[in-house]
Amino acid sequence: MAQVLSEWGMAGVEALRDRVAVLVIVDVLSFSTAVDVAVSRGAAVAPFPHGDDDAARQAAERAGAVLARPRRAAGGQFSLSPASLLEIPAGTRLMLPSPNGSRLSLAGGSTPVLAGCLRNAAAVARAALDLARGGGIGVVPAGERWPDGGLRPAIEDLLGAGAIIHELALTCSPEAEIARDAWRSAGADLPRLIRASVSGRELVDSGFPHDVDLALEQEVSSSAPLLVDGAYRPV
């Protein structure tokens, strides 16, 4: 019987990728939301693991892609900020460095990878079911990083994963069941919880409240971004 499994971060991807038929990466603030916004407008998004700026520029040049700028230095250019991508032209190939979502996306190996968030939970669940063809589905909340590099579980990713798991309506592992039930329990209080979370407060305090607003929109997108040949595109 098909089952939903859920584990956190890079260790979760590595634990699940050979056990499931499809992976869903959930990084609500902000990678998955940024990917959804861009792909729903007809752009392709190539993830790039965060780190070496020169390597990112060279990779973007080789791929014929526009390199997204750091959020705080974007100055009106495309960045990890979902708000910066609201008017991205169709056909744009965007290379998007990210320390969490991009890195996890590229670790899926031969397993199909989808990017899921609150905006597209139902669409991603439908695509995952089609791709899995009765096999298992792994839903991976990305989480954040503590200053020492350790994983910080992030409630926005737990709740985003839970929304997708709810839509899948399959038998759940205990970890997936807890995520699903957390989303169900949050209900109408979900926006307050995410805005008041560590990640939400960081974005608001840094001057990006609109990014949080966009990430909190639920079921506004029919986009199901699938990683194909190194870039997320609509299924």
Side-chain angles (χ1 to χ4, degrees):
M1 178 181 295
Q3 186 181 32
V4 187
L5 306 176
S6 186
E7 300 290 353
W8 282 89
M10 179 60 77
V13 172
E14 292 171 347
L16 295 179
R17 62 190 174 197
D18 295 328
R19 299 172 56 197
V20 298
V22 60
L23 286 166
V24 182
I25 305 301
V26 184
D27 186 355
V28 170
L29 295 176
S30 298
F31 175 81
S32 297
T33 298
V35 170
D36 172 72
V37 169
V39 169
S40 67
R41 289 190 54 81
V45 179
F48 187 85
H50 192 69
D52 189 327
D53 291 343
D54 287 338
R57 283 193 291 272
Q58 292 169 14
E61 290 174 1
R62 289 194 300 271
V66 177
L67 179 62
R69 300 280 293 162
R71 193 194 312 249
R72 290 172 179 79
Q77 301 180 64
F78 301 137
S79 74
L80 190 59
S81 164
S84 76
L85 304 174
L86 288 172
E87 302 300 328
I88 191 169
T92 302
R93 185 177 177 91
L94 180 72
M95 182 156 287
L96 187 61
S98 159
N100 291 317
S102 283
R103 193 169 56 94
L104 301 185
S105 297
L106 296 169
S110 60
T111 303
V113 175
L114 293 157
C117 59
L118 292 167
R119 297 169 55 89
N120 65 3
V124 164
R126 288 192 297 270
L129 290 168
D130 288 343
L131 289 164
R133 298 181 181 274
I137 297 171
V139 181
V140 179
E144 295 291 344
R145 313 298 296 183
W146 288 114
D148 66 0
L151 173 71
R152 174 174 68 79
I155 66 164
E156 68 275 9
D157 295 341
L158 179 71
L159 294 168
I164 294 165
I165 294 166
H166 169 81
E167 295 291 343
L168 288 168
L170 296 173
T171 301
C172 292
S173 69
E175 294 81 8
E177 185 176 345
I178 290 295
R180 181 201 64 194
D181 291 352
W183 178 81
R184 290 177 177 176
S185 176
D189 209 26
L190 183 145
R192 181 192 67 81
L193 291 169
I194 292 181
R195 284 195 176 95
S197 70
V198 173
S199 303
R201 293 197 311 271
E202 285 178 348
L203 281 179
V204 171
D205 292 347
S206 298
F208 298 98
H210 192 26
D211 286 347
V212 181
D213 294 339
L214 288 170
L216 286 171
E217 293 180 336
Q218 297 186 60
E219 302 308 339
V220 298
S221 173
S222 60
S223 167
L226 176 66
L227 192 63
V228 178
D229 295 332
Y232 279 108
R233 298 176 172 85
V235 175

